[in-house]
């Protein structure tokens, strides 16, 4: 878990020109706090301690305004920039080096107990307010524009914008 935190700090320093020091990142970045809580909740979830995992997730949401389901799978150097209003659903999978902004939703379009949330590849950037809905796949190094609504797969290296999002 400490490698994960170190990776997060490295990612913030690399991607956020406003980050002035490691101490500032540790104390003032809610994305780091949410990821820390998520790693603990995810461990509990994998140990079948579902209630404890959900409670940790609940406390994290209260403290950070970022909601990550404990079962969500999150890769290395994941950076939540600003963070308020981010929602990451239960079956979401996020690759390495992903950067998302505030009010992003990785949500479902069904309540059936199946894979119902997006899979996000490596190096993806998701703009503020974007909604990725359903069991879609976002390819590596894709860019999703602010407020885009994405309901179908996105090819690697593609930029998507608009409601409903369209290929540029």
């Amino acid at each position: 878990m400490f490698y994960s935190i170190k990776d997060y700090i490295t990612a913030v320093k690399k991607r956020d020109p406003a980050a002035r020091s490691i101490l500032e990142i540790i104390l003032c970045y809610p994305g780091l706090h949410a990821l820390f809580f998520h790693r603990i909740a995810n461990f509990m979830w994998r140990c079948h301690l579902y209630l404890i995992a959900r409670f940790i997730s609940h406390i994290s949401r209260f403290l950070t305004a970022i909601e990550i389901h404990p079962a969500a799978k999150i890769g290395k150097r994941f950076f939540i920039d600003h963070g308020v209003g981010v929602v990451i659903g239960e079956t979401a999978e996020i690759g390495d080096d992903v950067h998302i902004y505030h009010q992003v939703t990785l949500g479902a379009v069904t309540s059936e107990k199946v894979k119902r949330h997006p899979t996000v590849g490596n190096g993806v950037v998701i703009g503020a307010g974007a909604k990725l809905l359903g069991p879609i796949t976002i390819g590596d190094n894709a860019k999703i524009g602010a407020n885009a609504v994405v309901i179908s797969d996105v090819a690697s290296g593609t930029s998507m914008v608009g409601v409903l999002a369209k290929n540029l």
Side-chain angles (χ1 to χ4, degrees):
M1 179 172 25
F2 292 109
Y3 289 115
S4 176
I5 293 169
K6 184 178 178 184
D7 281 347
Y8 186 90
I9 291 169
T10 301
V12 171
K13 287 178 71 176
K14 179 180 177 185
R15 297 183 204 151
D16 188 355
R20 290 176 181 80
S21 71
I22 292 172
L23 186 60
E24 177 186 23
I25 295 167
I26 291 169
L27 295 176
C28 301
Y29 277 68
L32 172 64
H33 306 146
L35 190 60
F36 175 76
F37 281 115
H38 172 72
R39 298 295 188 206
I40 295 168
N42 181 258
F43 175 79
M44 296 295 179
W45 189 267
R46 288 183 283 117
C47 291
H48 306 284
L49 300 170
Y50 303 120
L51 179 59
I52 295 170
R54 288 300 300 263
F55 187 69
I56 292 168
S57 175
H58 177 72
I59 297 299
S60 176
R61 181 178 52 148
F62 176 76
L63 295 173
T64 66
I66 297 168
E67 182 173 350
I68 306 173
H69 192 282
K73 297 175 183 167
I74 297 177
K76 298 174 185 169
R77 296 173 301 279
F78 174 57
F79 179 30
I80 301 172
D81 202 351
H82 301 289
V84 170
V86 168
V87 177
I88 300 173
E90 177 183 18
T91 61
E93 299 176 44
I94 300 171
D96 297 337
D97 302 304
V98 172
H99 187 153
I100 68 173
Y101 290 89
H102 60 282
Q103 295 184 333
V104 166
T105 298
L106 302 182
V109 293
T110 182
S111 58
E112 295 178 26
K113 292 204 176 265
V114 295
K115 168 72 170 145
R116 60 191 188 281
H117 297 91
T119 298
V120 178
N122 299 323
V124 173
V125 177
I126 305 173
K131 309 301 177 214
L132 285 64
L133 303 173
I136 60 176
T137 299
I138 309 301
D140 293 346
N141 302 307
K143 292 181 179 23
I144 309 299
N147 295 313
V149 177
V150 183
I151 59 170
S152 59
D153 291 349
V154 175
S156 294
T158 303
S159 295
M160 301 292 280
V161 298
V163 179
L164 289 166
K166 296 180 175 122
N167 194 348
L168 283 178

